[in-house]
């Protein structure tokens, strides 16, 4: 499952056009960040394997749940309750290479005529720990393509966002991570983005002690730090609930959406959703297919935002080593 919001937020009229050169620079930065992540990943993996090979390993006694007999720390990257691919599909800290493609379509939009569509492409890349960064990372890039309703219809690239999560070792109860989120003003039209560079903290926690359940949340708060001076500032608390019931290769949950609190306007946007998905093998490849129905329960009075809609998603999952079973 992915981590998109229910639409990119309320689409409101903007004050002035976005400078095209700023969008090009921001897009180039996003491409460089992703390229650097892809380039560093194998190097870090080799460095980690070489350092572990050079370090003599003392004899350890076998203990329950993969714990080290001396320190009691968990040896596996993910707690045993999260080892299956079904569980990792809903875990934002899971060390899986994923290529996600989701499409959200809303036929009914508040304060506007016509429909709304959001196509998201999200590559997810885990980065092994190394001597430089002693914890694992999960990096996600989100590239949105939007189509907004009338009267201010626009279609094209939206604001690209970057999410970097640093994940310590798993605990008995589950796993957590912290990092940052960054939004770049790459939108092709003012209606498709904020016109602001945004930066803010990110945190996630996933609880696994309840059998067959996955409970947690992803919390982000991007804040505008630069950009078009004629556009309003941005500061939004975004909370994505994680509530999934796991049943074999199937999962049923609250859906992929963000509850948003706008600090600038003191207004909330609260969508509700239900999602069903299945992990499926096609040949030697593993895919995560999902479908979701969403409805906006609470939103600002003047917001141009979907009333309800349907999201379809497919994720190409590339598990590594011990995480390949499901």
């Amino acid at each position: 499952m992915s981590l998109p919001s229910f639409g990119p937020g309320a689409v409101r009229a903007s004050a002035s056009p976005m400078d095209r050169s700023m969008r090009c620079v921001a897009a180039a930065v996003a491409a460089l960040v992703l390229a650097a992540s892809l380039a560093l990943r194998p190097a870090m993996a080799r460095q980690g394997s070489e350092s572990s090979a050079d370090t003599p390993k003392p004899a350890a006694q076998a203990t329950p749940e993969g714990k080290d007999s001396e320190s009691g720390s968990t040896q596996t990257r993910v707690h045993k309750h999260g080892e299956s691919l079904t569980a990792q599909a809903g875990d934002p800290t899971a060390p899986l290479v994923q290529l996600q493609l989701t499409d959200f379509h809303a036929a009914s939009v508040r304060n506007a005529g016509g429909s709304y569509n959001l196509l998201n492409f999200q590559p997810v890349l885990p980065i092994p720990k190394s001597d430089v960064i002693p914890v694992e990372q999960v990096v996600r890039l989100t590239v949105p393509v939007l189509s907004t309703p009338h009267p201010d219809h626009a279609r094209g690239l939206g604001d690209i966002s970057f999410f970097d999560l640093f994940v310590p070792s798993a605990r008995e109860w589950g796993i957590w991570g912290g990092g940052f989120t960054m939004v770049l003003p790459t939108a092709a039209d003012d209606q498709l983005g904020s016109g602001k560079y945004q930066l803010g903290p990110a945190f996630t926690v996933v609880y696994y002690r309840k059998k067959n359940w996955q409970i947690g949340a992803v919390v982000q708060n991007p804040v505008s730090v630069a950009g078009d001076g004629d556009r309003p500032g941005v500061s939004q608390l975004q909370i994505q609930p994680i509530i999934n019931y796991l049943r074999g290769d199937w999962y049923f949950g609250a859906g992929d959406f963000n509850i948003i609190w706008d600090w600038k306007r003191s207004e909330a946007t609260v969508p509700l959703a239900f999602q069903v998905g299945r992990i499926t093998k096609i040949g030697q490849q593993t895919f995560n297919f999902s479908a979701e129905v969403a409805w906006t329960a609470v939103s600002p009075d003047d917001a141009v935002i979907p009333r309800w809609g349907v999201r379809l998603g497919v994720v190409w999952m590339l598990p590594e080593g011990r995480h390949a079973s499901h």
Side-chain angles (χ1 to χ4, degrees):
M1 284 173 280
S2 60
L3 301 174
S5 61
F6 180 58
V11 180
R12 294 187 174 92
S14 54
S16 65
M18 179 82 182
D19 185 275
R20 185 171 297 274
S21 62
M22 181 181 293
R23 294 199 302 269
C24 294
V25 170
V29 171
L32 287 173
V33 168
L34 180 60
S37 299
L38 290 169
L40 286 173
R41 184 172 181 271
M44 288 184 172
R46 288 194 299 270
Q47 182 179 6
S49 61
E50 290 171 359
S51 62
S52 61
D54 295 339
T55 304
K57 297 181 180 179
Q61 298 179 356
T63 56
E65 299 183 1
K67 292 182 181 178
D68 178 42
S69 58
E70 295 182 1
S71 64
S73 61
T74 306
Q75 294 297 306
T76 55
R77 162 66 175 82
V78 180
H79 191 270
K80 66 174 185 175
H81 296 298
E83 287 293 342
S84 73
L85 284 181
T86 309
Q88 292 184 66
D91 185 347
T93 71
L96 293 175
V97 177
Q98 301 180 65
L99 296 178
Q100 306 179 354
L101 187 66
T102 61
D103 187 77
F104 174 80
H105 183 78
S108 177
V109 181
R110 292 178 180 172
N111 299 317
S115 61
Y116 169 89
N117 198 86
L118 170 62
L119 178 68
N120 267 341
F121 173 65
Q122 294 179 309
V124 179
L125 178 71
I127 301 177
K129 61 183 178 181
S130 65
D131 292 338
V132 178
I133 302 178
V135 295
E136 295 183 359
Q137 293 173 259
V138 177
V139 173
R140 183 184 73 238
L141 191 72
T142 301
V143 182
V145 177
L146 305 95
S147 177
T148 63
H150 300 287
D152 300 314
H153 175 69
R155 179 182 300 166
L157 178 68
D159 287 346
I160 293 175
S161 62
F162 179 79
F163 179 85
D164 192 352
L165 194 67
F166 297 84
V167 185
S169 299
R171 309 300 184 199
E172 282 298 312
W173 50 266
I175 197 165
W176 68 278
F180 68 93
T181 183
M182 178 171 58
V183 181
L184 304 176
T186 56
D189 187 276
D190 283 356
Q191 298 298 318
L192 305 177
S194 66
K196 296 289 187 179
Y197 292 91
Q198 302 171 47
L199 184 66
F203 177 81
T204 187
V205 60
V206 183
Y207 180 76
Y208 279 113
R209 293 296 292 272
K210 184 73 173 175
K211 184 178 180 181
N212 294 334
W213 284 92
Q214 189 176 54
I215 301 171
V218 178
V219 181
Q220 306 176 64
N221 198 133
V223 178
S224 55
V225 294
D228 190 340
D230 294 328
R231 303 289 295 276
V234 177
S235 180
Q236 291 185 341
L237 175 64
Q238 302 174 5
I239 303 174
Q240 183 205 353
I242 301 173
I243 306 173
N244 296 314
Y245 177 73
L246 313 177
R247 186 74 174 180
D249 291 337
W250 292 85
Y251 59 87
F252 310 87
D256 292 339
F257 63 88
N258 282 339
I259 298 171
I260 299 175
W261 176 256
D262 189 331
W263 295 106
K264 298 290 187 179
R265 295 169 58 99
S266 297
E267 294 174 332
T269 301
V270 182
L272 300 175
F274 174 76
Q275 182 182 61
V276 59
R278 189 178 190 274
I279 309 302
T280 304
K281 293 278 287 187
I282 300 179
Q284 297 299 315
Q285 305 302 319
T286 304
F287 296 90
N288 172 16
F289 295 99
S290 64
E292 175 181 334
V293 177
W295 168 65
T296 304
V298 177
S299 67
D301 293 337
D302 62 341
V304 178
I305 196 167
R307 286 191 177 91
W308 63 271
V310 176
R311 187 198 315 269
L312 300 176
V314 59
V315 182
W316 184 17
M317 307 175 71
L318 302 173
E320 299 180 351
R322 63 181 180 275
H323 306 291
S325 62
H326 75 286

